[in-house]
Amino acid sequence: MSQTPDVQLGGLYGDRILEHYRNPHNRQALADPDLEAHEFNPFCGDRVDLQLKLDGESRVLGISAASEGCSIIQASTSMLSDMMNGKTLEEIAGLASAFRSMMDGKEIPPESMATLGELEALQVVRQYPVRIKCALLPWTALEVAMQEYGSRAG
Ligand code: ZN
């Protein structure tokens, strides 16, 4: 069974994206999550469901990341999920903001770029401006969930 991607992304970055799309990571649901996030983008039918388990404070112990829709959201969600373990919510917020700047085509300092790791590959999506939202959707979900969690914790 072969899946045909809905955008043509070449090169090393394109290969990374396809790899995550074909074999997304961390899809198993968590039994007892501390944070949950859901977002939907009707433009291409993208849907993302995230769950995080924390260590009692703000460090991530486990993540579940499931998405449906186009190749970009599935790759972005899978890449995001690989980077969450062991990070604090504050570090994740910094990562989200660096990722958003990269996708917006802004200059970002090399030390922020270094924290993005594999997410760097998603910058090829900038060739398809309408799809940038697909790459950002799991991060938007995460930011909304962290805000809710922050206001709950008081
Ligand atoms: Zn999409």
Side-chain angles (χ1 to χ4, degrees):
M1 193 179 83
S2 79
Q3 286 172 297
T4 309
D6 47 294
V7 286
Q8 293 301 316
L9 297 169
L12 194 61
Y13 284 164
D15 289 348
R16 289 261 182 92
I17 289 170
L18 288 181
E19 219 175 278
H20 278 272
Y21 166 55
R22 294 193 171 114
N23 181 24
H25 304 168
N26 304 302
R27 287 185 61 92
Q28 311 85 328
L30 301 179
D32 185 24
D34 294 303
L35 269 83
E36 287 191 84
H38 314 278
E39 285 288 330
F40 179 60
N41 172 10
F43 173 75
C44 50
D46 290 344
R47 184 182 297 280
V48 58
D49 298 291
L50 300 175
Q51 297 178 311
L52 291 179
K53 182 72 190 160
L54 302 178
D55 69 350
E57 302 209 1
S58 78
R59 200 172 289 279
V60 174
L61 288 182
I63 179 159
S64 161
S67 60
E68 284 170 37
C70 71
S71 57
I72 306 300
I73 184 149
Q74 295 192 50
S76 183
T77 304
S78 176
M79 286 178 179
L80 173 151
S81 76
D82 279 348
M83 304 191 71
M84 296 294 112
N85 271 330
K87 289 207 167 56
T88 64
L89 295 182
E90 203 182 349
E91 288 167 336
I92 293 169
L95 206 55
S97 128
F99 180 67
R100 204 174 278 281
S101 298
M102 182 188 81
M103 295 309 290
D104 287 345
K106 292 185 187 140
E107 280 290 328
I108 61 173
E111 61 270 24
S112 297
M113 198 66 197
T115 64
L116 291 175
E118 202 176 24
L119 295 169
E120 196 185 345
L122 287 163
Q123 64 183 288
V124 295
V125 175
R126 298 204 313 247
Q127 301 167 46
Y128 301 90
V130 295
R131 310 303 290 280
I132 290 174
K133 193 172 179 190
C134 305
L136 289 173
L137 199 66
W139 293 92
T140 303
L142 198 55
E143 286 170 333
V144 170
M146 290 195 297
Q147 262 166 27
E148 281 172 11
Y149 183 77
S151 57
R152 246 192 297 154

